[in-house]
Every structure is written in structure tokens, then in C-alpha cells.
Amino acid sequence: MAILMKELKVIYRNKTFILLKILFSLLYCAIGYGTKALYEQTGYDLNIAYYFIFVYSMSLALMMLYVYPISKDITERMNGGLENILATGYPLKRLILYKTLGLFLSLYIPAALMVIVIIAWSRLYLAGFLSLLVYLPLINGGIALNYICSTMLSVNPAVAMSKLSFYAIAVILVLTYGPVLGYRIGGYSIDMAVSITLAVLLSFAIVLAAYRKFRKIGIEELIGGAVYL
Amino acid sequence: MLEKQRCLSNIIETRGLSKTFNGRIVLDNIDLNIPRGSIFALIGPNGAGKTTLIRILLGLYKPTTGTFSIYTHNNDDNYNIRKDIGFMLHSPGLYPVLSSYENLALYARIYKIDNERERIEHLLELVGLTEYRDEKVHILSKGMRQKLVLARAILHDPELLILDEPTVGLEVETKIWFREFISNFVMNGDKTVLISSHELSELEKICTDVAILRKGKVAGVYNKFDLNETSLEDLYLKSGERD
Ligand SMILES: Nc1ncnc2c1ncn2[C@@H]1O[C@H](COP(=O)(O)OP(=O)(O)OP(=O)(O)O)[C@@H](O)[C@H]1O
Ligand SMILES: [Mg+2]
């Protein structure tokens, strides 16, 4: 708990992040509401709502990773913040989980707000709550754990971070513009059900990758691999 | 009975402690006894393995072979020995955007200290940082930060203090302050300091025992009687000639 409080304090001392988070949250809510217009235009096609609940919420979660103050984790590692905490006997796995929770909350909330707005107008309660309680926590938790483990394990956390960001961008592009491009270029439209299935599969892959990193990580490589200031 | 005797005289014992990184031997068969109540200096050239030994004692690295024991007063099977150990590492581990108080509070919660606020305020006063209680750490000078790290090291009133180059980069008066602090810390005889440092002249004024590490091996162990006869520098240089 002490670690989570520390994480949140450090994250929210960053004014730019607070500002961007509020902006993003508002933007996401607007998108959630704007979806209604799209839904009406397409002749009340519920697939649109499902698409935004499952696919768009995921890419927005990935997007939050950009505005998250990554430098704090890099500084923490290079300052020996992790080494000092671990030297008290604090368990590594618990440390990782609390740090993950701190990041998770930052990623999850804006995407969750958007889904809540969509539930409000679409009344897709089952899909909405499935997304809020299962899908979004899994995907955001997976991203957060992946990120925390990668920055901890890498000799240069900044490189690990930009690699993750690159994947995130790629996923956002494929998920959001993929179907549109496919239609424009190839002339065929990808079924919503296919995109949603792909998004769900992809998030499971992220969770699995994160879990494997989490299992592998040990104090010795974490400390030994760090380049200290 | 024998066990009890041993507990009383030494606080740390290492037996055949070795550490290899990717086949490279960094610590080689270290046998050391660190007497309770001592100020035990660990000296040696850069890369001799001092920090590695300290990391092993703090449970951060696992020894490749060999064992070590730490006997503190609370040491029974269920007790978490780390609660009796305070430490200062090479890297301070402070959070620049948190205040002095918040940096200490984090550890107070990790150590589950009861009267957190009183304890932290007492320590801030002890190290002369009361004025900077709510200032973010990034505005503190190097010396102030080191004092804050020291306050953090003794937050939970440990029996054993392990210091890895605590005064590197500090000016004379702060060094003297640290030296006096360390002497006072062991004054009652039930607390012990293990200190790694390159400042031989500073160490010489306070340490009661010294071990010299060279290339991962113990190149000499001396007590206060030896130190009375020969200067630390001479012992240090002499240990190098044998290589
Ligand atoms: N995690 C690690 N992986 C590989 N090699 C390591 C690791 N940690 C330490 N070493 C090596 O072990 C040797 C001893 O390092 P250590 O930091 O213990 O020396 P030291 O005596 O503390 O030196 P200094 O006085 O410079 O602090 C060095 O050669 C170092 O490169
Ligand atoms: Mg060292």
C-alpha cells in the first residue's frame, strides 16, 4: 500500500500528466457520446457500439501510455529507488504489482469513462459491464504489467519504453484504421465480429506476455542490469 | 551453547562466501567475522567486491557458494532480520518530487513504524533538516540528501548499520558530521556499523576493525591493536604488495 501511495503521488505531481489525463478523459467521453450519432447514421447498427466498447477502448488505453510520465520510472531505477526498497526486504513481486496498479489506474479510468458513456446511451449492459469489469481490466493490467516489467528489466528503460510505444501505435493503427483502410484499398469490409475477436485475442496475448515477464524477473538481474546515475 | 556464544560476540559471520557473475569470480571464499559493537571498515580498490558483499548481506544477491549469518537480538526463526538492519547504498534511492518527509514516510510504512510522524520529525531534527521537511528533495544539496538517506537508514532503529561509501563527494564538515554520527551510533556497545569507504583517513579515526578486499579475496583483517601500531594506509598498501 505504501508503494501504491508513493506511485500515485509521484505520478500526480506531474502537472502535464494531470492536464493531459483530464483532456483525454473529456475527449474519450466525447467520442463515446459521438458514437451515438454514428450509430444512428448507420441505421442503428449495434455493431458500432460493440466496436467502440471492445476495440476502441483498447486503443485508447494504449494511447494513454504516451502521456504517462515514463521518466519517473527511469529516474527511480537509476536513482536506486528500487534497489533501496528491495534492500528492506520488501518482496519484489509485491513491489511490481503495486507499481503496476498505479499505472493501471492511470490507463483504465479514461477508457472506462468512455465505455460508461456508451452504456448510458446504448443500454448494452452486458457488453458494457463485460468490458468494464473483465476486458478493460485485463488489457490495461496486461499493458501496465508489461510496461513495468520491461522498464525494470531493461538496461536502458527508455529504449524498452519506446519499443512498447511503437507496438502500441502499431496496434492502434491496425485496430482503428485497419478496417477503414481495408475497405478503401481492398474494397472489402472486415466484419465487426472479426475485429472484436482480434482485439480480444490480442489483449490476451498482451496479458500472457506480461505474465511471462513477471514470472521471469528476479532481484539480481534487476539490480545488476541497472545503470546508476 | 556454542551457538549462543557465537551470537554474542559476532553480529555477522560469513563462511566461504563466493560470487560469480557469468563465470567471472567477484568474491572468492570470503570468511569474515564482524564483532558486535564494532565499526568495521571494508576497504579495497575499485571493483574489489565490497558492494557485492554488501548486497549479499542485504539479501539483494544470492551467494554462488558459501553461507552467512546475521545474529541480531531479535533473531529467531520467524523474525524478519531486515528490520534490524539499516543501510545506505551507493545510490540514494530518494524520490526527487517527494518532500523530505514523504521520502521518509514511504520507508516508515514499509518498516511499519508505529509513531511515524514523531519518529520522522525527530530524525529530521537529528540530521538538521527540519527546515526542509516539506521541501521537495530535488532542491536539497548533495550533503543534505546524504543526511536524509542516513535518517532513512536509522528510521526503524536498526541494530546493524551497513554503509556503502556514505560520504563520497561530501565536503569536509559534512564528512566530520558523518564520522561523529557513526561514533555516537555505536557508543552503547550494542550497535554495529559495517562501512565501506575509500576515505582511509576518515575511517582511521573511528573504525575498530578493518578488512581489506582485493580482487574478491580477503587480503587482510586487522583489529584496533593492529591499527594502533600501523596506519591504515600502510596496512592497505602492504596488502597490495603481495599481489
Ligand atoms: N550484477 C553484476 N553483474 C556482473 N558483474 C558485476 C555485477 N555486480 C558487480 N559486478 C562486478 O563485480 C566486481 C566488483 O564490483 P563491486 O561493485 O562489488 O566493487 P566495489 O569494491 O564496490 O568497487 P567500488 O569501490 O568501485 O565501489 C566489478 O568488477 C563489477 O564489474
Ligand atoms: Mg562499491
Side-chain angles (χ1 to χ4, degrees):
Chain A
M1 210 51 193
I3 302 293
L4 179 62
M5 293 306 293
K6 181 268 293 173
E7 279 296 304
L8 293 178
K9 265 188 200 152
V10 175
I11 296 172
Y12 291 100
R13 289 276 153 95
N14 187 315
K15 292 207 179 67
T16 321
F17 179 65
I18 298 182
L19 193 72
L20 283 172
K21 185 163 170 176
I22 294 173
L23 275 179
F24 267 72
S25 300
L26 290 176
L27 183 71
Y28 292 6
C29 287
I31 291 175
Y33 188 70
T35 310
K36 189 179 177 196
L38 205 60
Y39 165 70
E40 283 159 0
Q41 267 178 22
T42 53
Y44 306 99
D45 181 1
L46 269 183
N47 274 323
I48 294 283
Y50 285 125
Y51 181 76
F52 273 81
I53 287 177
F54 289 105
V55 183
Y56 224 84
S57 64
M58 172 181 178
S59 41
L60 290 182
L62 287 168
M63 202 111 88
M64 275 310 286
L65 206 56
Y66 287 105
V67 292
Y68 181 75
I70 54 158
S71 57
K72 80 168 187 52
D73 291 301
I74 298 170
T75 318
E76 180 182 38
R77 179 136 184 254
M78 300 211 290
N79 263 343
L82 300 176
E83 181 179 3
N84 276 276
I85 290 172
L86 292 168
T88 66
Y90 196 92
L92 173 64
K93 298 281 147 109
R94 206 193 300 165
L95 176 63
I96 296 176
L97 288 178
Y98 275 123
K99 281 182 67 69
T100 301
L101 192 57
L103 172 55
F104 169 81
L105 292 174
S106 308
L107 300 183
Y108 174 76
I109 292 171
L113 285 176
M114 185 191 76
V115 171
I116 290 172
V117 171
I118 297 178
I119 299 176
W121 64 255
S122 70
R123 296 181 199 284
L124 290 173
Y125 293 112
L126 183 64
F129 285 111
L130 198 68
S131 170
L132 279 184
L133 301 177
V134 183
Y135 179 71
L136 277 182
L138 267 182
I139 170 73
N140 283 290
I143 296 171
L145 186 60
N146 217 311
Y147 165 86
I148 296 289
C149 291
S150 301
T151 48
M152 275 187 176
L153 274 181
S154 164
V155 175
N156 186 344
V159 171
M161 190 51 223
S162 46
K163 214 166 101 185
L164 278 180
S165 303
F166 176 78
Y167 288 137
I169 265 277
V171 169
I172 294 173
L173 283 177
V174 169
L175 285 180
T176 53
Y177 298 113
V180 181
L181 277 182
Y183 186 74
R184 284 272 157 148
I185 297 169
Y188 50 85
S189 59
I190 297 168
D191 196 42
M192 288 291 178
V194 175
S195 335
I196 292 170
T197 314
L198 277 179
V200 174
L201 284 180
L202 188 75
S203 30
F204 273 108
I206 292 176
V207 172
L208 202 72
Y211 180 69
R212 282 180 50 184
K213 277 188 190 150
F214 177 65
R215 284 242 333 241
K216 201 174 74 177
I217 201 165
I219 296 182
E220 202 157 314
E221 71 216 280
L222 186 146
I223 293 168
V227 179
Y228 293 105
L229 286 175
Chain B
M1 199 56 209
L2 190 69
E3 194 64 10
K4 187 86 183 165
Q5 275 287 314
R6 295 203 323 163
C7 297
L8 288 174
S9 57
N10 293 328
I11 189 161
I12 302 177
E13 294 183 351
T14 75
R15 291 291 171 263
L17 215 55
S18 299
K19 181 71 187 171
T20 346
F21 289 109
N22 308 319
R24 202 157 55 85
I25 300 170
V26 169
L27 286 179
D28 190 3
N29 208 14
I30 304 287
D31 287 320
L32 279 179
N33 295 325
I34 298 182
R36 186 178 304 281
S38 63
I39 296 177
F40 195 102
L42 196 57
I43 59 176
N46 294 119
K50 304 179 294 295
T51 299
T52 305
L53 178 59
I54 284 173
R55 281 177 168 164
I56 289 177
L57 295 175
L58 288 171
L60 295 170
Y61 285 164
K62 282 200 181 65
T64 310
T65 55
T67 57
F68 69 94
S69 308
I70 298 180
Y71 305 102
T72 59
H73 284 112
N74 293 314
N75 193 3
D76 63 46
D77 291 344
N78 299 321
Y79 187 78
N80 180 3
I81 187 93
R82 312 275 189 105
K83 289 202 172 166
D84 290 331
I85 307 175
F87 56 84
M88 280 177 84
L89 307 174
H90 268 274
S91 42
L94 294 170
Y95 292 88
V97 300
L98 299 183
S99 68
S100 308
Y101 184 93
E102 287 167 328
N103 267 287
L104 295 185
L106 168 63
Y107 280 73
R109 280 167 211 159
I110 290 174
Y111 286 122
K112 300 195 173 66
I113 291 171
D114 296 330
N115 47 349
E116 176 185 313
R117 198 183 155 145
E118 282 161 50
R119 182 71 188 151
I120 293 176
E121 278 168 1
H122 168 70
L123 284 171
L124 284 175
E125 188 164 347
L126 187 79
V127 300
L129 287 175
T130 303
E131 231 185 295
Y132 294 90
R133 181 190 187 279
D134 299 314
E135 298 284 358
K136 288 184 183 156
V137 161
H138 71 77
I139 71 145
L140 301 189
S141 71
K142 166 100 180 166
M144 290 172 182
R145 284 184 209 181
Q146 277 309 81
K147 286 183 176 177
L148 189 61
V149 176
L150 180 70
R152 192 182 65 194
I154 54 169
L155 199 55
H156 51 306
D157 194 20
E159 205 176 312
L160 169 65
L161 195 52
I162 298 182
L163 308 172
D164 197 353
E165 298 189 37
T167 58
V168 62
L170 301 185
E171 57 67 61
V172 181
E173 279 170 22
T174 317
K175 273 183 194 164
I176 296 173
W177 185 93
F178 266 86
R179 191 175 77 210
E180 282 169 358
F181 175 88
I182 294 168
S183 308
N184 289 333
F185 184 78
V186 299
M187 196 116 85
N188 295 331
D190 56 348
K191 297 200 189 242
T192 311
V193 174
L194 170 63
I195 175 171
S196 143
S197 172
H198 295 293
E199 322 241 7
L200 300 188
S201 60
E202 286 292 315
L203 284 177
E204 189 156 47
K205 295 190 179 100
I206 51 169
C207 74
T208 57
D209 296 80
V210 57
I212 304 174
L213 280 189
R214 280 185 184 273
K215 296 183 182 160
K217 289 195 173 80
V218 179
V221 181
Y222 306 96
N223 60 25
K224 51 177 170 276
F225 302 110
D226 305 316
L227 290 165
N228 279 341
E229 306 219 319
T230 324
S231 77
L232 196 51
E233 192 174 293
D234 286 344
L235 291 173
Y236 185 80
L237 294 175
K238 207 175 73 190
S239 74
E241 285 162 12
R242 270 173 260 153
D243 284 346

